Amino acid sequence: MQLSIDQKDIDKFLMIGDKVLIKPKNPQSQTKTGLYLPPSVQQGEKIQAGYIIKTGPGYPLPSQSEEHEVWEKKKGEEVQYLPLQAREGDLAVYLQNAAYEINFNDEKFLIVPHSAILMLVRDEGLFE
């Protein structure tokens, strides 16, 4: 399924929970022996790579206070999250079949759950 979003600023996107927004890395269109692969073969791969653009806050944690009943609304209590390991700018290797594709400003982005990320490559000096 593909979704097109008419928005001008990607900074207004808020990722929910453990979801990660990924800009897919351009796969190699040529094999080591020199054969050119069509895009349908490249997109059919089970494992893909891409750069993380935005991350969600993480997994919500249950409330630790036991003063009131669970169903009562508590004033001033904020939701706490278990943070994700992925950070903006990381190269993520993820499972393609778990990704949801969206188009934004004629570019392809993927929404991937954190559990579908197999590996992260982090270059600390990239943004310095």
Side-chain angles (χ1 to χ4, degrees), residues 11 23-24 36 45 47 50 71 84-85 87 92 99 106 113 123 127-128:
D11 291 332
K23 172 74 175 144
Y36 285 94
E45 299 266 333
I47 297 175
W71 50 266
L84 302 176
Q85 195 172 3
R87 293 188 206 157
D106 296 325
D123 185 5
F127 297 110
E128 293 179 357

Side-chain angles (χ1 to χ4, degrees), residues 22-27 48-51 94 96 107-110:
I22 294 180
K23 172 74 175 144
K25 186 177 173 184
N26 292 335
Q48 297 285 336
Y51 292 99
Y94 57 92
Q96 175 67 27
E107 288 187 73
K108 177 180 165 182
F109 291 93
L110 298 170

Side-chain angles (χ1 to χ4, degrees), residues 80-94:
Q80 294 183 355
Y81 294 94
L82 180 66
L84 302 176
Q85 195 172 3
R87 293 188 206 157
E88 293 178 11
D90 289 349
L91 177 66
V93 176
Y94 57 92

Side-chain angles (χ1 to χ4, degrees), residues 45-96:
E45 299 266 333
K46 290 185 178 182
I47 297 175
Q48 297 285 336
Y51 292 99
I52 296 177
I53 305 298
K54 291 193 133 317
T55 61
Y59 300 105
L61 295 173
S63 176
Q64 299 297 324
S65 67
E66 296 181 16
E67 299 173 10
H68 302 284
E69 296 293 332
V70 177
W71 50 266
E72 282 188 79
K73 186 173 183 174
K74 298 165 182 80
K75 295 180 182 177
E77 186 174 314
E78 291 191 25
V79 178
Q80 294 183 355
Y81 294 94
L82 180 66
L84 302 176
Q85 195 172 3
R87 293 188 206 157
E88 293 178 11
D90 289 349
L91 177 66
V93 176
Y94 57 92
L95 296 172
Q96 175 67 27

Side-chain angles (χ1 to χ4, degrees), residues 1 15 28 30 43 49 61-62 73-74 76 88 93 97 106 108 112-113 116 118 122-124:
M1 181 176 161
M15 301 310 294
Q28 291 184 343
Q30 192 174 11
Q43 293 173 355
L61 295 173
K73 186 173 183 174
K74 298 165 182 80
E88 293 178 11
V93 176
N97 60 356
D106 296 325
K108 177 180 165 182
V112 179
L118 303 174
R122 183 171 295 149
D123 185 5
E124 296 291 341

